[in-house]
C-alpha cells in the first residue's frame, strides 16, 4: 500500500509557524536577562521573573485556547495567537523599564500560549493517520532546531550588533510566522466529524488529557532542571569569561542533537521508550553538572553537547508519549497538557533558580539542578517507565506465543 503524503504544504506551514514562534521564544529567553542587566539595570533576583511571567501567562491561556478551538476553529485561534505574538515582538523596541518589560512579557506569553497550542492541535490533523508517529517526530525536530537557532542567533547578535538587532529579528520571525499561518489550510471538517461521533469532554477533561498527565509531570521535573540552562547560561558564561563560547554552546548542542536523532528515533521504536529516555536524562544531568565545574571553554562546550544530546531527545520522546497516550481526537489536548506542565517546570525553575543563584551562585545552582535532573529518572520510572516496561514484556511474550 502506498504511503499517504506527509510533506504537504500544510504540514510544512504549521511546522514552520511553530519553528518561527519557538525561535523567538528561545532567542529572547537567553538574551533578555542580558538586556535587563545591561540596559535596565535589573537585579539578579528579578531575572527569573522575565521567563516566569511569560510562561505563566502562556500556561493560563493554553487550556483556554484548546477550548476556544472547538468553537472558533483551530485556524482562527492560531491567527489570533500569532498576531498577538507579532504585536508583542514589535513592542520590545520601546522598553525602558523592568516593569514595562514584565508587562510586555505577559502579552507576549498569551500569544505564545495560544499559537503553540493551536499548532500542536493542527499538526495532529494534517499528518496522515498511518504516519502519525513519523510526522510528530519531524514536527518535534522543528522545535528542537528552534531551541538551537534562537539562542545562537540571539547571543551572536547581542555580542556583535546589540539588543536592537535581536528585537528586529524577533519582529521578522513573527511576520514569517503570521505568513505561514495565513497560507495554512486546516482540515476543520475532520475535527467537526470527530466531535459529532464522540461525546465532547466536560469539566477539566475539556482542558486536560488525563492519560497524558504522568509523562507530563515527569516533563515538569526535567524542564525545571533545564530552566537553569536556558535562563542563566548567557549570564553565567559572561561571568566566567566564556562570552564567545556562549554563542557556540548551542551550535554544539544542535550538532549532537541532530547527529543522534536518526539513532534515538530507531531505538525508541525498536527497543521501547525506556531505552532512550534513561540515557538521555543521565546525559542531561552530567551536562548540567559539567557546567558547574567548567573552568575552560572546552568543558563549557562539552556540557552543551551532553545537554543537547539529553534534553533534545527527552522533549521529543516525552511529547510523543503524551500524544500516543491520547485518542486521535484528543491529540491536541494532549499536546496542550504536556506543554502546560513543561512550561510550568520552566517558569517555576526560572523563578526559584534565580533566587537560588543569588544565595549559592551559579555554580551551586547548577550542582543543585544536576541533582534535580537525576531525580527526573526516578520520576519517570514511577510515573511511566515501569508500566512501559511491563507492557513491552507482555507484548514480547504475546509475539513469542504466536
Amino acid at each position: 500500500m502506498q504511503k499517504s503524503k506527509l510533506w504537504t504544504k500544510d504540514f510544512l506551514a504549521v511546522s514552520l509557524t511553530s519553528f518561527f514562534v519557538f525561535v523567538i521564544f528561545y532567542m529572547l529567553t537567553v538574551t533578555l536577562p542580558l538586556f535587563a542587566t545591561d540596559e535596565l539595570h535589573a537585579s539578579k533576583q528579578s531575572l527569573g521573573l522575565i521567563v516566569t511571567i511569560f510562561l505563566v501567562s502562556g500556561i493560563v491561556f493554553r487550556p483556554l485556547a484548546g477550548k476556544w478551538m472547538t468553537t472558533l476553529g483551530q485556524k482562527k485561534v492560531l491567527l489570533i495567537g500569532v498576531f498577538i505574538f507579532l504585536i508583542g515582538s514589535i513592542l520590545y523596541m520601546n522598553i525602558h523599564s523592568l516593569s514595562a518589560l514584565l508587562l510586555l512579557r505577559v502579552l507576549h506569553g498569551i500569544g505564545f500560549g495560544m499559537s503553540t497550542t493551536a499548532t500542536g492541535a493542527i499538526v495532529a490533523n494534517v499528518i496522515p493517520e498511518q504516519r502519525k508517529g513519523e510526522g510528530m517526530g519531524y514536527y518535534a525536530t522543528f522545535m528542537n532546531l528552534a531551541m538551537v537557532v534562537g539562542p545562537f542567533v540571539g547571543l551572536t547578535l547581542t555580542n556583535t550588533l546589540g539588543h536592537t538587532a535581536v528585537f528586529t529579528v524577533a519582529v521578522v520571525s513573527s511576520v514569517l510566522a503570521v505568513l505561514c499561518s495565513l497560507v495554512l489550510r486546516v482540515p476543520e471538517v475532520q475535527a467537526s466529524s470527530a466531535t459529532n461521533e464522540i461525546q465532547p469532554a466536560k469539566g477539566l477533561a475539556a482542558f486536560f488529557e488525563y492519560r497524558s498527565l504522568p509523562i507530563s509531570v515527569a516533563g515538569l521535573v526535567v524542564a525545571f532542571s533545564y530552566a537553569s540552562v536556558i535562563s542563566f547560561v548567557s549570564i553565567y558564561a559572561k561571568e566566567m569569561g566564556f562570552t564567545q563560547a556562549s554563542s557556540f554552546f548551542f551550535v554544539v548542542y544542535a550538532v549532537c542533537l541532530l547527529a543522534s536523532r536518526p539513532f534515538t528515533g530507531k531505538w525508541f521504536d525498536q527497543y521501547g521508550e525506556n531505552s532512550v529516555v534513561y540515557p538521555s536524562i543521565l546525559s542531561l544531568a552530567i551536562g548540567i553538572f559539567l557546567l558547574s565545574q567548567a573552568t575552560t571553554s572546552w568543558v563549557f562546550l562539552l556540557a552543551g553537547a551532553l545537554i543537547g544530546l539529553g534534553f533534545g531527545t527527552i522533549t521529543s520522546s516525552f511529547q510523543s508519549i503524551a500524544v500516543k497516550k491520547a485518542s486521535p481526537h484528543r491529540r491536541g489536548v494532549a499536546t496542550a497538557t504536556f506543554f502546560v506542565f513543561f512550561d510550568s517546570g520552566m517558569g517555576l525553575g526560572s523563578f526559584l533558580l534565580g533566587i537560588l543563584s543569588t544565595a549559592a551562585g551559579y555554580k551551586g545552582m547548577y550542582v543543585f539542578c544536576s541533582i534535580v535532573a537525576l531525580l527526573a529518572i526516578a520520576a519517570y520510572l514511577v510515573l511511566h517507565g515501569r508500566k512501559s516496561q511491563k507492557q513491552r514484556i507482555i507484548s514480547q511474550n504475546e509475539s513469542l506465543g504466536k
Side-chain angles (χ1 to χ4, degrees), residues 137 140-141 144 256-266 312-313 315-316:
T141 301
N144 291 145
C256 291
L257 168 64
L258 295 176
S260 67
R261 180 50 54 85
F263 306 104
T264 55
K266 288 180 180 178
T313 304
T315 50
S316 60

Side-chain angles (χ1 to χ4, degrees), residues 100-159:
L101 176 61
L102 295 178
L103 187 62
L104 175 55
R105 293 295 280 169
V106 174
L107 176 68
H108 216 202
I110 292 171
F112 177 78
M114 291 181 65
S115 57
T116 54
T117 301
T119 54
I122 291 168
V123 76
N125 286 334
V126 301
I127 296 173
E129 194 63 35
Q130 62 269 39
R131 303 185 70 177
K132 195 69 70 178
E134 181 186 2
M136 288 301 295
Y138 283 120
Y139 174 74
T141 301
F142 278 87
M143 288 189 290
N144 291 145
L145 286 172
M147 196 183 296
V148 175
V149 173
F152 174 72
V153 171
L155 291 173
T156 300
L157 289 175
T158 298
N159 295 332

Side-chain angles (χ1 to χ4, degrees), residues 67-77 80 188:
K67 183 70 173 176
W68 291 336
M69 280 188 284
T70 63
T71 54
L72 296 176
Q74 294 174 345
K75 183 167 182 176
K76 286 182 181 178
V77 172
I80 293 170
E188 300 287 1

Side-chain angles (χ1 to χ4, degrees), residues 53-341:
I53 287 179
F54 176 92
L55 291 174
V56 166
S57 62
I59 289 164
V60 170
F61 274 79
R62 278 192 186 279
L64 293 174
K67 183 70 173 176
W68 291 336
M69 280 188 284
T70 63
T71 54
L72 296 176
Q74 294 174 345
K75 183 167 182 176
K76 286 182 181 178
V77 172
L78 174 61
L79 288 174
I80 293 170
V82 292
F83 272 109
I84 292 174
F85 202 69
L86 171 60
I87 292 168
S89 298
I90 293 170
L91 291 176
Y92 282 106
M93 298 286 191
N94 295 304
I95 294 297
H96 303 292
S97 69
L98 180 62
S99 58
L101 176 61
L102 295 178
L103 187 62
L104 175 55
R105 293 295 280 169
V106 174
L107 176 68
H108 216 202
I110 292 171
F112 177 78
M114 291 181 65
S115 57
T116 54
T117 301
T119 54
I122 291 168
V123 76
N125 286 334
V126 301
I127 296 173
E129 194 63 35
Q130 62 269 39
R131 303 185 70 177
K132 195 69 70 178
E134 181 186 2
M136 288 301 295
Y138 283 120
Y139 174 74
T141 301
F142 278 87
M143 288 189 290
N144 291 145
L145 286 172
M147 196 183 296
V148 175
V149 173
F152 174 72
V153 171
L155 291 173
T156 300
L157 289 175
T158 298
N159 295 332
T160 55
L161 300 176
H163 299 293
T164 301
V166 174
F167 299 146
T168 302
V169 171
V171 173
V172 173
S173 295
S174 295
V175 170
L176 291 173
V178 170
L179 293 176
C180 289
S181 301
L182 288 171
V183 302
L184 173 63
R185 183 183 59 82
V186 180
E188 300 287 1
V189 176
Q190 292 182 8
S192 60
S193 64
T195 305
N196 291 334
E197 292 171 10
I198 300 170
Q199 187 68 24
K202 297 180 181 179
L204 285 176
F207 301 96
F208 296 98
E209 174 53 61
Y210 293 133
R211 285 176 287 187
S212 301
L213 284 176
I215 195 64
S216 299
V217 172
L220 183 150
V221 180
V222 171
F224 183 96
S225 64
Y226 183 72
S228 64
V229 179
I230 198 67
S231 298
F232 302 107
V233 73
S234 57
I235 300 291
Y236 177 61
K238 187 175 181 180
E239 185 180 273
M240 295 296 294
F242 302 145
T243 304
Q244 287 190 335
S246 64
S247 297
F248 291 95
F249 179 91
F250 290 100
V251 174
V252 174
Y253 179 117
V255 170
C256 291
L257 168 64
L258 295 176
S260 67
R261 180 50 54 85
F263 306 104
T264 55
K266 288 180 180 178
W267 293 340
F268 188 95
D269 292 332
Q270 292 179 3
Y271 305 112
E273 300 128 19
N274 295 353
S275 67
V276 172
V277 170
Y278 288 127
S280 297
I281 299 177
L282 184 61
S283 178
L284 173 66
I286 295 172
I288 294 176
F289 180 75
L290 279 181
L291 274 184
S292 72
Q293 305 300 307
T295 55
T296 64
S297 297
W298 183 85
V299 176
F300 182 76
L301 294 176
L302 177 61
L306 290 172
I307 291 169
L309 180 62
F311 185 75
T313 304
I314 293 166
T315 50
S316 60
S317 298
F318 277 21
Q319 189 180 357
S320 296
I321 294 169
V323 170
K324 191 167 66 173
K325 286 286 182 182
S327 302
H329 72 291
R330 297 274 294 172
R331 285 170 181 149
V333 180
T335 301
T337 301
F338 175 75
F339 278 111
V340 162
F341 280 83

Side-chain angles (χ1 to χ4, degrees), residues 325 386-396:
K325 286 286 182 182
R386 191 163 46 191
K387 186 176 180 180
S388 175
Q389 182 63 25
K390 287 181 180 178
Q391 289 175 340
R392 186 165 182 81
I393 292 172
I394 292 171
S395 298
Q396 287 176 340

